[in-house]
Amino acid sequence: MKYLALVYYDENIIKQMTGDEWTSLNRECLACVDGLQQRGHYLDGSALQPVDTATTVRVRDGRTTTTDGPFAETKEQLAGFYMLEARDLNEAIRLAEKIPPARLGSIEIRPLRDITPFGEEAPRDDRPWSDRRM
């Protein structure tokens, strides 16, 4: 099963790092990716530019608006992602706890779901949305 591991941390902590601390963290992240790749768990991933480079797009009533910055003000900002292959949520958690920025912020793990192509019938699931596990 595929899981998206979203990396969050407070950018102010990063801004206070020395060049050596930043380089060390990046080296740890690269080593983590290498280890995940060797074990067949790493599918894709990337770091993101700081939130001050973000643009939020909304479409309401056919009109598009853009806003500088992220959707919401939070203590932690989305910094990057890892696309992981794991047997189940427990394995995804064990993989995510090894992602170095977890020490600085948090890793949100979300299972991916397939979107049924147009014209194909999706399996019927009458359970309430909150009860579904994809």
Side-chain angles (χ1 to χ4, degrees):
M1 183 165 199
K2 293 178 184 168
Y3 289 87
L4 184 63
L6 299 167
V7 177
Y8 290 90
Y9 55 61
D10 182 342
E11 285 185 358
N12 292 317
I13 292 172
I14 300 303
K15 290 176 185 176
Q16 294 173 12
M17 286 183 165
T18 66
D20 288 344
E21 290 170 329
W22 178 243
T23 298
S24 177
L25 177 62
N26 282 291
R27 285 187 178 137
E28 282 186 73
C29 290
L30 293 171
C32 177
V33 167
D34 187 50
L36 290 167
Q37 281 178 321
Q38 288 179 18
R39 294 188 311 277
H41 294 293
Y42 183 84
L43 302 175
D44 198 3
S46 186
L48 299 175
Q49 294 290 333
V51 294
D52 61 5
T53 66
T55 300
T56 299
V57 176
R58 291 180 180 84
V59 178
R60 301 291 186 271
D61 299 320
R63 293 184 50 184
T64 301
T65 60
T66 59
T67 307
D68 290 342
F71 173 71
E73 293 291 324
T74 61
K75 289 183 178 182
E76 296 179 340
Q77 294 78 41
L78 180 62
F81 71 94
Y82 290 66
M83 182 72 66
L84 304 173
E85 180 70 40
R87 280 186 314 277
D88 54 29
L89 179 60
N90 289 329
E91 184 177 37
I93 291 169
R94 286 193 305 277
L95 297 170
E97 69 188 13
K98 293 177 174 59
I99 297 172
R103 297 189 313 264
L104 304 172
S106 61
I107 310 296
E108 177 183 340
I109 302 169
R110 301 198 38 195
L112 274 63
R113 66 180 175 88
D114 291 328
I115 297 177
T116 305
F118 182 73
E120 291 183 21
E121 192 165 323
R124 181 108 175 140
D125 190 343
D126 292 325
R127 293 174 294 162
W129 181 257
S130 61
D131 293 341
R132 297 179 192 181
R133 287 284 180 189
M134 309 242 172

